[in-house]
Amino acid sequence: MVQLTGTPLSALVDEPVRIRITGLTPFQIVTLQASLKDEKENMFYSHAYYRANKVGEVDLEHDSALGGDYVGVHPMGLFWSLKPEKLSIRLLKKDVMNSPFQVQIKLCDLMSPLGNKATSTSKVSLTFERWYVAPGVTRIQVEEGRLRGALFLPSGEGPFPGVIDLFGGFGGLFEHRSSLLASRGFASLALAYWGYKDLPSQLQKIDLEYFEEASNFLLRHPKIFGPGIGVIATSKGAEIALSMAVHLKQVTATILVNGPTSIYGLPHVYHGHTYQPIPYSIQFLSTNALGFIEFHGIFKEIGVEASQSFLPIEKAHGHFLFIVGEDDKNTNSKEHANKATEWLKRHGKNNWTLLSYSGAGHLIEPPYSPLCWASKTPNIYTPLHWGGEVIAHAAAQEHSWKEIQKFLRRHLIPMVTSQL
């Protein structure tokens, strides 16, 4: 009898699973199909073809996919190769506390040994629950003064290292990374700064005092120890995080995922001083063959004009982890990170680490997340091209997530040696 097994069936999304098939005929070729329905009823699919061994077994941990959405030995390939049925949809978990994503895996026969078509009827199936929060993690809605966000606290009495989590040009509140960080022992504040509740619907400036208030809010919490906090940020959020690291002594560990190192578009304001931005070079905006917008060209001019808005990162009190996707089509992040590290070296600083990933795109998420190649953003009608090659991007996500946790532990808990 054919059996499809998976372990564990319920786990955090950053944990790998093992998928095995037994009871096939020797050397039989089969199709594994994965499907997921998000909270907006959007469907995501992936598939791969496998050949059983001489005893009629397939083990994704050791066996190579012959074709489909990926080729080679990739135990989690069915998860990170999921693609939206409708083009330019990003897979995002909004309700991280109350429900998991459910990924259904079906085992199907193959109509042709070349894999032209799989039967619509599955032999057997199973469903994985992929959670964004571990048991015992608590979520606290933050509406203190003008701060808006969600604080995630790990299970236990603490105290815990504190982290502020920022995203970029989408606006709103993104909680999926913070809930996972809390599941790994960090108190993480998912912080909104525009397009959420009573926050501004459009950004006119970056008010660093807002982020200073958030830093102090974390350090006042009885379950969070100091004296410093970390910041993890993507895209425009990374620009803000870099400015926080320069101006706020509370920030001692800063993780910058595909962001610029100069002030772009909007001024930064801090205690009465205004730091002027570089205007975006819209004339360098481009579109790809599908008509998706690529913004990376507007960040390319890093010359005399840009030097006036380059953040004086040598003044930062803490350490930096630059995470770069070399196929980023949204921000010229590789050039910016290289300029930042050269600047730090020139000033005798060794407080930085650069992780640069060939083939990775802009949206580097926790591991096993599907590559979002393009999606829509508020106020822009045409989808944005984020870049990335599926297998390389998946590898970057898996490696960087481990390095992120090591970095935060090293610089926020200096007396504790990471177990990773």
Side-chain angles (χ1 to χ4, degrees):
M1 182 177 69
V2 175
Q3 287 189 317
L4 175 64
T5 60
T7 53
L9 288 176
S10 182
L12 290 172
V13 294
D14 64 354
E15 294 178 9
V17 301
R18 185 173 184 179
I19 299 174
R20 297 181 69 239
I21 311 167
T22 57
L24 299 171
T25 59
F27 310 113
Q28 180 180 351
I29 297 176
V30 294
T31 304
L32 281 173
Q33 299 174 314
S35 61
L36 179 153
K37 182 187 292 185
D38 73 6
E39 293 162 324
K40 295 183 178 180
E41 305 292 310
N42 296 305
M43 293 300 301
F44 293 74
Y45 296 100
S46 66
H47 73 283
Y49 308 115
Y50 286 89
R51 178 186 287 112
N53 61 17
K54 62 183 179 181
V55 295
E57 297 180 352
V58 175
D59 186 341
L60 270 61
E61 197 164 289
H62 307 292
D63 295 331
S64 177
L66 305 175
D69 288 314
Y70 57 92
V71 174
V73 180
H74 299 291
M76 293 296 290
L78 289 168
F79 293 81
W80 47 247
S81 67
L82 285 163
K83 300 179 299 302
E85 187 176 37
K86 299 175 182 177
L87 200 62
S88 71
I89 300 292
R90 182 182 180 186
L91 182 64
L92 276 174
K93 192 77 172 76
K94 289 295 187 179
D95 180 8
V96 297
M97 294 298 294
N98 298 308
S99 64
F101 275 141
Q102 294 190 338
V103 181
Q104 184 181 56
I105 308 293
K106 293 181 179 180
L107 172 64
C108 303
D109 282 323
L110 203 63
M111 291 294 289
S112 161
L114 297 178
N116 294 326
K117 185 178 180 182
T119 61
S120 59
T121 303
S122 64
K123 286 176 172 292
V124 65
S125 67
L126 56 80
T127 300
F128 289 96
E129 291 186 343
R130 306 293 285 169
W131 289 89
Y132 282 80
V133 64
V137 170
T138 57
R139 179 190 184 276
I140 302 168
Q141 186 73 35
V142 175
E143 295 186 3
E144 180 165 316
R146 57 180 181 158
L147 295 181
R148 299 292 180 267
L151 175 62
F152 290 86
L153 295 174
S155 176
E157 294 300 316
F160 307 105
V163 180
I164 292 175
D165 184 11
L166 300 172
F167 282 85
F170 287 92
L173 182 64
F174 292 79
E175 303 181 15
H176 61 283
R177 190 163 59 190
S178 281
S179 61
L180 279 176
L181 285 171
S183 301
R184 299 304 178 195
F186 302 95
S188 186
L189 173 62
L191 185 64
Y193 56 97
W194 74 281
Y196 179 72
K197 295 198 171 184
D198 56 350
L199 292 174
S201 59
Q202 296 290 330
L203 275 178
Q204 302 297 325
K205 62 182 179 180
I206 303 300
D207 181 359
L208 285 175
E209 292 175 49
Y210 177 81
F211 301 94
E212 184 175 44
E213 291 168 18
S215 303
N216 293 333
F217 165 80
L218 269 187
L219 288 171
R220 286 196 307 269
H221 197 284
K223 284 196 172 185
I224 298 172
F225 60 73
I229 63 163
V231 182
I232 181 170
T234 298
S235 196
K236 185 68 175 182
E239 175 193 315
I240 297 169
L242 201 58
S243 195
M244 292 171 67
V246 169
H247 294 99
L248 307 180
K249 64 181 180 181
Q250 305 96 313
V251 177
T252 56
T254 308
I255 300 168
L256 307 149
V257 184
N258 286 329
T261 51
S262 295
I263 299 172
Y264 274 89
L266 301 170
H268 289 206
V269 179
Y270 185 58
H271 292 307
H273 189 89
T274 300
Y275 300 87
Q276 294 296 337
I278 308 166
Y280 293 116
S281 300
I282 300 300
Q283 67 272 26
F284 295 112
L285 193 72
S286 61
T287 57
N288 70 358
L290 295 175
F292 297 157
I293 295 175
E294 296 180 349
F295 273 122
H296 64 102
I298 70 176
F299 295 95
K300 273 190 175 180
E301 289 196 322
I302 307 180
V304 175
E305 184 182 23
S307 66
Q308 300 171 3
S309 295
F310 182 74
L311 288 160
I313 55 178
E314 74 279 3
K315 296 180 181 179
H317 300 276
H319 290 76
F320 297 109
L321 174 59
F322 297 93
I323 296 176
V324 170
E326 295 182 9
D327 193 43
D328 183 356
K329 301 300 185 184
N330 184 257
T331 305
N332 195 20
S333 49
K334 182 179 180 180
E335 186 172 342
H336 278 273
N338 286 338
K339 181 182 180 184
T341 55
E342 286 300 319
W343 183 268
L344 289 168
K345 284 192 284 187
R346 198 178 309 154
H347 285 82
K349 300 283 188 176
N350 62 357
N351 60 336
W352 55 273
T353 301
L354 172 61
L355 300 176
S356 191
Y357 297 102
S358 175
H362 184 69
L363 297 176
I364 296 178
E365 297 275 33
Y368 318 125
S369 301
L371 166 68
C372 180
W373 191 70
S375 68
K376 292 182 178 179
T377 61
N379 307 316
I380 300 177
Y381 179 75
T382 305
L384 301 188
H385 182 200
W386 305 114
E389 302 164 10
V390 176
I391 293 177
H393 191 87
Q397 292 186 150
E398 188 170 356
H399 183 265
S400 63
W401 186 242
K402 294 175 182 177
E403 295 302 311
I404 284 166
Q405 294 174 69
K406 287 180 185 177
F407 177 82
L408 291 173
R409 289 192 174 96
R410 184 181 305 123
H411 298 297
L412 299 181
I413 323 173
M415 300 304 294
V416 176
T417 303
S418 173
Q419 298 299 310
L420 294 180

